[in-house]
Amino acid sequence: MTGTTTAGDGSGRDTGVTRLQEQTAQFASTPHGARLARRLAVRCMEEWGHSSASDVSGTVALVVGELVANAVRHGRVPGHDFRLRLVLDEAAGLVRIEVADAAAGRRPPTALPSSCPDGESGRGLLLVDALAERWGWEPREAVGKTVWAEVPVAGAHCRPR
């Protein structure tokens, strides 16, 4: 796990440099690893000034939970972990969530699924779409893919429709 880093001059005055705080960790591609990733996200939000009871912390935890659950369920490759990266961009007012897995062939759908009200699954990306400012995926450099979402930290927790 890597720690929090901040870009800037440390003076607290506006220098035009974007302040970024970042946390990266790898987890086993298991349900236990998914729970640990969600807990890490809540802890990071607390360290970055957003209590675990805040709307933004809950939103980040939910989005992380959905993305890591997909990585464990659909992106698991035996012997490979998934990586969680959280970046707080204070200037943009966003937390970027990235979940990377090793399954290059299993990509998120290009269109959101139409969820069956009686179905037991299939709503994760609908939740991510509703809660995130934007989301998407990109090929991972070595192998696999990275699914990302950006959650606003100021104002409403959902984008206007």
Side-chain angles (χ1 to χ4, degrees):
M1 177 168 32
T2 59
T4 301
T5 58
T6 304
D9 72 354
S11 67
R13 64 181 188 272
D14 185 8
T15 61
V17 177
T18 301
R19 291 179 43 87
L20 298 176
Q21 298 185 69
E22 178 179 326
Q23 184 75 41
T24 303
Q26 283 194 208
F27 299 92
S29 290
T30 63
H32 180 68
R35 282 190 301 276
L36 293 175
R38 190 171 186 269
R39 288 180 186 162
L40 175 66
V42 172
R43 190 178 79 217
C44 284
M45 293 305 293
E46 286 179 331
E47 290 173 3
W48 296 341
H50 301 278
S51 85
S52 61
S54 69
D55 285 345
V56 70
S57 182
T59 299
V60 167
L62 181 58
V63 171
V64 166
E66 293 300 334
L67 295 182
V68 300
N70 283 346
V72 168
R73 185 169 192 185
H74 304 293
R76 184 175 182 276
V77 173
H80 293 273
D81 296 338
F82 70 86
R83 186 194 75 211
L84 171 66
R85 180 174 179 248
L86 302 168
V87 179
L88 172 62
D89 183 338
E90 294 174 355
L94 292 172
V95 172
R96 183 175 172 98
I97 301 159
E98 298 177 357
V99 177
D101 64 49
R106 298 289 311 253
R107 297 181 174 156
T110 54
L112 288 175
S114 58
S115 182
C116 173
D118 297 330
E120 293 182 16
S121 64
R123 295 180 186 86
L125 290 178
L126 291 171
L127 288 171
V128 170
D129 187 63
L131 296 172
E133 187 75 24
R134 60 191 193 118
W135 69 277
W137 73 275
E138 53 202 35
R140 193 171 173 195
E141 206 170 291
V143 64
K145 68 185 169 306
T146 299
V147 182
W148 56 267
E150 295 176 343
V151 174
V153 294
H157 68 280
C158 293
R159 68 175 179 253
R161 295 285 177 182

